[in-house]
Amino acid sequence: MSISFKDNNIKLWDANKWNCILNISQVNQNGFLDSACFLEDNNQYFIVTSNCNWSGNSEPIKIMDFNGNKVKEISNSNDKTYFIDTYYDKVTSTNYIITGNENYVKSYDYNENKLYYKYYDNDNRGHFSIVINDSENILELIESCFDGNIRIWNFHYGILLNKIKIINYALFGICLWKTNYLLVGCEDKTIKLIELKNGLLIQNLAGHKKWVISIKKINHPKLGECIISKGYDNDQIKIWSNKN
Protein backbone atom coordinates (compact mmCIF):
# COMPACT_ATOMS: atom_id res chain seq x y z
CA MET A 1 0.00 0.00 0.00
CA SER A 2 1.12 3.56 -0.67
CA ILE A 3 -0.39 6.93 0.16
CA SER A 4 -0.18 10.25 -1.62
CA PHE A 5 0.20 13.12 0.82
CA LYS A 6 -0.88 15.95 -1.49
CA ASP A 7 -3.85 14.52 -3.40
CA ASN A 8 -5.19 12.27 -0.58
CA ASN A 9 -5.07 9.06 -2.61
CA ILE A 10 -4.46 5.51 -1.40
CA LYS A 11 -3.01 2.95 -3.81
CA LEU A 12 -2.81 -0.80 -3.25
CA TRP A 13 -0.06 -2.64 -5.12
CA ASP A 14 0.46 -6.27 -6.07
CA ALA A 15 3.88 -7.03 -4.55
CA ASN A 16 4.60 -9.82 -7.04
CA LYS A 17 3.66 -8.08 -10.29
CA TRP A 18 4.20 -4.56 -8.91
CA ASN A 19 1.09 -3.13 -10.49
CA CYS A 20 -1.57 -0.96 -8.89
CA ILE A 21 -4.73 -2.99 -8.19
CA LEU A 22 -6.73 -0.36 -6.27
CA ASN A 23 -6.82 3.44 -6.21
CA ILE A 24 -9.02 5.23 -3.68
CA SER A 25 -9.01 8.94 -4.48
CA GLN A 26 -9.77 11.95 -2.28
CA VAL A 27 -9.98 10.04 0.99
CA ASN A 28 -10.12 13.30 2.96
CA GLN A 29 -11.87 16.50 1.98
CA ASN A 30 -9.95 18.62 4.52
CA GLY A 31 -6.27 18.24 5.28
CA PHE A 32 -3.68 15.66 4.30
CA LEU A 33 -3.43 11.89 4.35
CA ASP A 34 -0.27 11.17 6.35
CA SER A 35 -0.71 7.48 7.19
CA ALA A 36 -2.82 4.41 6.44
CA CYS A 37 -2.83 0.76 7.54
CA PHE A 38 -4.75 -2.51 7.34
CA LEU A 39 -7.20 -3.92 9.88
CA GLU A 40 -8.56 -7.48 10.00
CA ASP A 41 -12.01 -8.04 11.48
CA ASN A 42 -13.87 -11.37 11.26
CA ASN A 43 -11.65 -12.57 8.40
CA GLN A 44 -12.29 -9.39 6.43
CA TYR A 45 -9.65 -6.77 5.69
CA PHE A 46 -10.19 -3.02 5.83
CA ILE A 47 -8.13 0.13 5.29
CA VAL A 48 -7.79 2.65 8.13
CA THR A 49 -6.76 6.24 7.33
CA SER A 50 -5.42 9.28 9.15
CA ASN A 51 -6.03 12.99 8.65
CA CYS A 52 -3.82 16.01 9.31
CA ASN A 53 -5.16 19.52 8.78
CA TRP A 54 -3.44 22.59 10.20
CA SER A 55 -6.59 24.69 9.77
CA GLY A 56 -8.19 22.74 12.63
CA ASN A 57 -10.87 20.98 10.58
CA SER A 58 -9.46 17.47 10.64
CA GLU A 59 -11.81 14.64 9.76
CA PRO A 60 -12.64 11.44 11.69
CA ILE A 61 -10.66 8.23 11.33
CA LYS A 62 -12.11 6.40 8.34
CA ILE A 63 -12.38 2.62 7.94
CA MET A 64 -12.97 1.55 4.33
CA ASP A 65 -13.39 -1.71 2.45
CA PHE A 66 -11.26 -2.64 -0.54
CA ASN A 67 -13.79 -1.08 -2.92
CA GLY A 68 -13.23 2.30 -1.33
CA ASN A 69 -16.56 2.29 0.52
CA LYS A 70 -16.59 3.83 3.99
CA VAL A 71 -17.85 1.28 6.56
CA LYS A 72 -17.13 3.15 9.79
CA GLU A 73 -15.89 6.43 11.25
CA ILE A 74 -14.35 7.10 14.65
CA SER A 75 -14.17 10.66 15.97
CA ASN A 76 -10.64 11.80 16.82
CA SER A 77 -11.51 15.26 18.21
CA ASN A 78 -9.91 17.20 15.34
CA ASP A 79 -6.45 15.82 16.12
CA LYS A 80 -3.70 16.37 13.59
CA THR A 81 -2.74 12.73 13.04
CA TYR A 82 0.73 11.88 11.68
CA PHE A 83 0.66 8.13 12.23
CA ILE A 84 -1.97 5.41 12.42
CA ASP A 85 -1.74 1.67 13.06
CA THR A 86 -3.77 -1.22 14.45
CA TYR A 87 -3.21 -3.86 17.11
CA TYR A 88 -5.24 -7.00 17.89
CA ASP A 89 -5.17 -8.05 21.55
CA LYS A 90 -5.66 -11.82 21.69
CA VAL A 91 -6.35 -11.74 25.43
CA THR A 92 -9.37 -9.45 25.14
CA SER A 93 -10.22 -10.31 21.49
CA THR A 94 -10.24 -6.59 20.72
CA ASN A 95 -9.00 -4.58 17.76
CA TYR A 96 -7.40 -1.26 18.62
CA ILE A 97 -6.56 1.69 16.39
CA ILE A 98 -3.53 3.67 17.57
CA THR A 99 -2.76 7.23 16.49
CA GLY A 100 0.25 9.48 16.86
CA ASN A 101 -1.00 13.06 16.91
CA GLU A 102 0.34 16.57 17.39
CA ASN A 103 -0.49 16.70 21.11
CA TYR A 104 -1.21 13.13 22.21
CA VAL A 105 -0.91 9.46 21.47
CA LYS A 106 -4.32 7.80 21.54
CA SER A 107 -5.77 4.30 21.31
CA TYR A 108 -9.30 3.59 20.15
CA ASP A 109 -11.43 0.51 20.80
CA TYR A 110 -12.50 -0.46 17.28
CA ASN A 111 -15.23 -2.81 18.50
CA GLU A 112 -16.81 -0.19 20.79
CA ASN A 113 -16.13 2.71 18.38
CA LYS A 114 -14.68 4.96 21.08
CA LEU A 115 -11.50 6.36 22.64
CA TYR A 116 -9.73 3.77 24.84
CA TYR A 117 -6.78 5.73 26.29
CA LYS A 118 -4.95 9.02 25.85
CA TYR A 119 -1.20 8.97 26.57
CA TYR A 120 0.17 12.38 27.54
CA ASP A 121 3.35 13.57 29.25
CA ASN A 122 3.20 17.37 29.54
CA ASP A 123 4.56 18.08 26.08
CA ASN A 124 3.06 19.59 22.97
CA ARG A 125 5.33 18.10 20.34
CA GLY A 126 4.42 15.76 17.47
CA HIS A 127 4.23 12.00 18.02
CA PHE A 128 5.33 10.35 14.81
CA SER A 129 5.55 6.56 15.20
CA ILE A 130 4.30 3.82 17.54
CA VAL A 131 4.96 0.12 18.12
CA ILE A 132 3.32 -2.33 20.52
CA ASN A 133 5.59 -4.65 22.52
CA ASP A 134 4.26 -7.59 24.55
CA SER A 135 7.04 -7.62 27.16
CA GLU A 136 7.14 -9.55 30.45
CA ASN A 137 3.35 -9.83 30.68
CA ILE A 138 3.00 -6.06 30.21
CA LEU A 139 1.63 -4.77 26.94
CA GLU A 140 3.80 -1.76 26.13
CA LEU A 141 3.10 1.12 23.78
CA ILE A 142 6.39 2.63 22.57
CA GLU A 143 6.31 5.98 20.78
CA SER A 144 8.73 8.44 19.25
CA CYS A 145 8.43 12.20 19.63
CA PHE A 146 9.68 15.42 18.04
CA ASP A 147 11.26 16.36 21.39
CA GLY A 148 13.92 13.63 21.05
CA ASN A 149 12.37 11.23 23.59
CA ILE A 150 11.17 7.65 23.37
CA ARG A 151 8.27 7.03 25.77
CA ILE A 152 7.17 3.59 26.92
CA TRP A 153 3.61 3.28 28.27
CA ASN A 154 1.49 0.58 29.83
CA PHE A 155 -0.97 0.18 26.98
CA HIS A 156 -4.00 -0.84 29.04
CA TYR A 157 -3.57 1.62 31.92
CA GLY A 158 -1.97 4.65 30.29
CA ILE A 159 0.91 4.70 32.81
CA LEU A 160 4.29 6.08 31.69
CA LEU A 161 6.81 3.29 32.38
CA ASN A 162 9.97 4.88 31.02
CA LYS A 163 11.20 7.91 29.09
CA ILE A 164 14.46 7.58 27.15
CA LYS A 165 16.18 10.76 26.00
CA ILE A 166 17.83 9.92 22.69
CA ILE A 167 19.05 13.19 21.22
CA ASN A 168 18.09 16.87 20.85
CA TYR A 169 16.61 16.19 17.43
CA ALA A 170 13.16 15.08 16.30
CA LEU A 171 12.54 11.32 16.21
CA PHE A 172 10.42 9.70 13.51
CA GLY A 173 9.98 6.05 12.45
CA ILE A 174 10.63 3.26 14.95
CA CYS A 175 10.55 -0.54 14.94
CA LEU A 176 11.42 -3.34 17.34
CA TRP A 177 14.52 -5.43 16.67
CA LYS A 178 15.22 -8.79 18.35
CA THR A 179 12.73 -8.04 21.16
CA ASN A 180 15.22 -6.14 23.32
CA TYR A 181 16.18 -3.38 20.90
CA LEU A 182 14.54 -0.47 19.16
CA LEU A 183 15.55 1.15 15.87
CA VAL A 184 14.80 4.87 15.68
CA GLY A 185 14.86 7.18 12.64
CA CYS A 186 16.21 10.61 13.47
CA GLU A 187 16.30 14.18 12.18
CA ASP A 188 20.13 13.98 12.18
CA LYS A 189 19.89 11.57 9.16
CA THR A 190 20.83 8.45 11.14
CA ILE A 191 19.10 5.32 12.43
CA LYS A 192 19.86 4.67 16.09
CA LEU A 193 19.91 1.22 17.68
CA ILE A 194 18.72 1.52 21.30
CA GLU A 195 18.73 -1.12 24.02
CA LEU A 196 15.28 -0.84 25.56
CA LYS A 197 16.10 -2.11 29.05
CA ASN A 198 18.61 0.61 29.92
CA GLY A 199 18.14 3.13 27.10
CA LEU A 200 21.72 2.83 25.87
CA LEU A 201 22.66 3.91 22.35
CA ILE A 202 24.34 0.84 20.82
CA GLN A 203 24.98 1.99 17.25
CA ASN A 204 24.40 4.78 14.73
CA LEU A 205 23.58 3.76 11.15
CA ALA A 206 24.50 6.53 8.73
CA GLY A 207 23.67 6.62 5.03
CA HIS A 208 20.60 8.78 4.47
CA LYS A 209 20.90 12.33 3.19
CA LYS A 210 17.71 13.56 4.90
CA TRP A 211 15.61 12.79 7.98
CA VAL A 212 14.84 9.07 8.42
CA ILE A 213 11.06 9.08 8.64
CA SER A 214 10.09 5.42 8.29
CA ILE A 215 11.59 2.07 9.39
CA LYS A 216 10.13 -1.43 8.94
CA LYS A 217 11.43 -4.93 9.59
CA ILE A 218 11.27 -7.28 6.59
CA ASN A 219 12.29 -10.82 5.72
CA HIS A 220 14.60 -10.68 2.72
CA PRO A 221 14.66 -13.87 0.57
CA LYS A 222 18.48 -14.02 0.70
CA LEU A 223 19.55 -11.92 3.68
CA GLY A 224 16.90 -12.95 6.20
CA GLU A 225 15.72 -10.39 8.75
CA CYS A 226 16.55 -6.87 7.57
CA ILE A 227 15.20 -3.39 8.01
CA ILE A 228 14.01 -1.07 5.29
CA SER A 229 14.18 2.69 5.81
CA LYS A 230 12.90 5.73 3.97
CA GLY A 231 14.29 9.23 4.07
CA TYR A 232 12.23 12.41 3.92
CA ASP A 233 11.04 13.83 0.60
CA ASN A 234 13.01 12.34 -2.31
CA ASP A 235 15.67 10.62 -0.23
CA GLN A 236 16.44 6.99 -0.99
CA ILE A 237 14.87 3.80 0.34
CA LYS A 238 17.57 1.62 1.93
CA ILE A 239 17.79 -2.01 3.07
CA TRP A 240 20.03 -2.80 6.04
CA SER A 241 21.33 -6.24 7.00
CA ASN A 242 23.73 -7.58 9.62
CA LYS A 243 24.78 -10.39 7.28
CA ASN A 244 27.40 -10.33 4.51
Side-chain angles (χ1 to χ4, degrees):
M1 182 164 58
S2 67
I3 62 174
S4 178
F5 176 81
K6 293 183 178 179
D7 61 12
N8 283 304
N9 290 352
I10 292 175
K11 293 180 172 64
L12 186 64
W13 301 82
D14 186 320
N16 294 315
K17 299 179 181 179
W18 202 240
N19 62 313
C20 184
I21 58 176
L22 175 66
N23 182 20
I24 305 174
S25 61
Q26 290 296 307
V27 174
N28 296 315
Q29 300 302 312
N30 299 301
F32 300 107
L33 178 66
D34 266 6
S35 183
C37 62
F38 295 117
L39 181 143
E40 182 184 359
D41 184 31
N42 292 323
N43 296 317
Q44 289 184 288
Y45 283 90
F46 301 94
I47 298 170
V48 186
T49 68
S50 71
N51 179 271
C52 182
N53 187 358
W54 290 99
S55 70
N57 296 316
S58 294
E59 300 175 21
I61 297 166
K62 296 181 178 66
I63 296 92
M64 297 179 294
D65 64 22
F66 276 47
N67 294 316
N69 300 311
K70 184 171 61 180
V71 298
K72 185 186 284 192
E73 285 188 347
I74 299 177
S75 174
N76 64 344
S77 303
N78 286 328
D79 278 329
K80 302 174 182 68
T81 301
Y82 304 121
F83 175 88
I84 197 163
D85 204 355
T86 59
Y87 175 76
Y88 179 72
D89 189 340
K90 295 179 181 178
V91 176
T92 62
S93 300
T94 304
N95 265 313
Y96 295 97
I97 296 173
I98 304 154
T99 63
N101 310 297
E102 174 63 14
N103 296 322
Y104 311 98
V105 171
K106 292 181 178 180
S107 57
Y108 295 86
D109 186 319
Y110 173 82
N111 305 68
E112 297 292 331
N113 225 40
K114 64 181 183 181
L115 179 68
Y116 183 65
Y117 254 108
K118 180 168 67 175
Y119 311 85
Y120 179 68
D121 182 38
N122 299 318
D123 66 79
N124 275 328
R125 305 298 304 278
H127 306 269
F128 198 85
S129 188
I130 302 160
V131 293
I132 302 297
N133 183 31
D134 193 352
S135 173
E136 299 178 354
N137 299 319
I138 298 175
L139 193 63
E140 297 176 340
L141 183 151
I142 305 172
E143 52 110 347
S144 65
C145 188
F146 284 10
D147 66 4
N149 285 299
I150 294 293
R151 289 174 174 82
I152 304 175
W153 304 84
N154 184 309
F155 178 83
H156 285 303
Y157 294 97
I159 299 169
L160 182 63
L161 302 174
N162 195 13
K163 180 162 64 174
I164 303 170
K165 183 66 176 181
I166 304 298
I167 194 171
N168 290 322
Y169 287 98
L171 303 179
F172 301 106
I174 58 176
C175 77
L176 290 168
W177 180 257
K178 306 295 185 185
T179 306
N180 299 318
Y181 299 92
L182 191 73
L183 290 157
V184 184
C186 186
E187 187 184 9
D188 71 354
K189 308 171 189 176
T190 68
I191 298 170
K192 302 185 184 300
L193 179 64
I194 307 296
E195 188 175 357
L196 278 173
K197 186 176 181 180
N198 52 30
L200 289 178
L201 173 63
I202 305 300
Q203 189 176 359
N204 270 315
L205 303 176
H208 280 282
K209 297 179 181 179
K210 297 186 178 182
W211 313 342
V212 185
I213 61 170
S214 180
I215 307 174
K216 296 291 183 182
K217 186 166 66 175
I218 63 169
N219 285 309
H220 192 278
K222 294 182 179 180
L223 300 174
E225 281 192 333
C226 299
I227 60 168
I228 185 168
S229 60
K230 171 68 173 68
Y232 178 70
D233 199 16
N234 293 320
D235 197 14
Q236 295 175 324
I237 295 173
K238 295 182 179 293
I239 296 177
W240 306 79
S241 171
N242 60 358
K243 295 181 180 181
N244 294 327

